[in-house]
Amino acid sequence: METENAFHCCATCTHFRVEKGTEGVSYRCSRLTYETRPDYRFQCWTPTEKVKRLMEARNSQR
């Protein structure tokens, strides 16, 4: 789906976590337990409620 691709990235997923430590900020997927980056993409992506609403709004505009 084209709209999904516009939003699909780790930073928009329910499992994306920002961890602040003594060595700075790191990003982690709580589902996969991988260190990640906000712009990475994995197949297990679950969009947040806010992103779901944005995708629905964009689809309804077409």
Side-chain angles (χ1 to χ4, degrees):
M1 175 186 281
E2 181 180 324
T3 303
E4 180 179 304
N5 289 336
F7 293 98
H8 183 162
C9 64
C10 285
T12 61
C13 182
T14 59
H15 301 282
F16 183 73
R17 303 291 182 262
V18 178
E19 299 175 348
K20 297 177 184 175
T22 57
E23 296 186 24
V25 176
S26 65
Y27 306 102
R28 184 163 300 280
C29 173
S30 65
R31 177 189 288 173
L32 301 174
T33 67
Y34 292 165
E35 190 167 337
T36 186
R37 293 186 47 90
D39 58 330
Y40 284 4
R41 294 180 177 199
F42 294 101
Q43 294 299 320
C44 64
W45 180 66
T46 306
T48 63
E49 288 302 316
K50 180 178 180 179
V51 172
K52 286 179 187 178
R53 288 191 302 272
L54 289 170
M55 289 180 351
E56 289 170 4
R58 186 172 283 183
N59 281 336
S60 68
Q61 291 176 350
R62 291 179 178 201

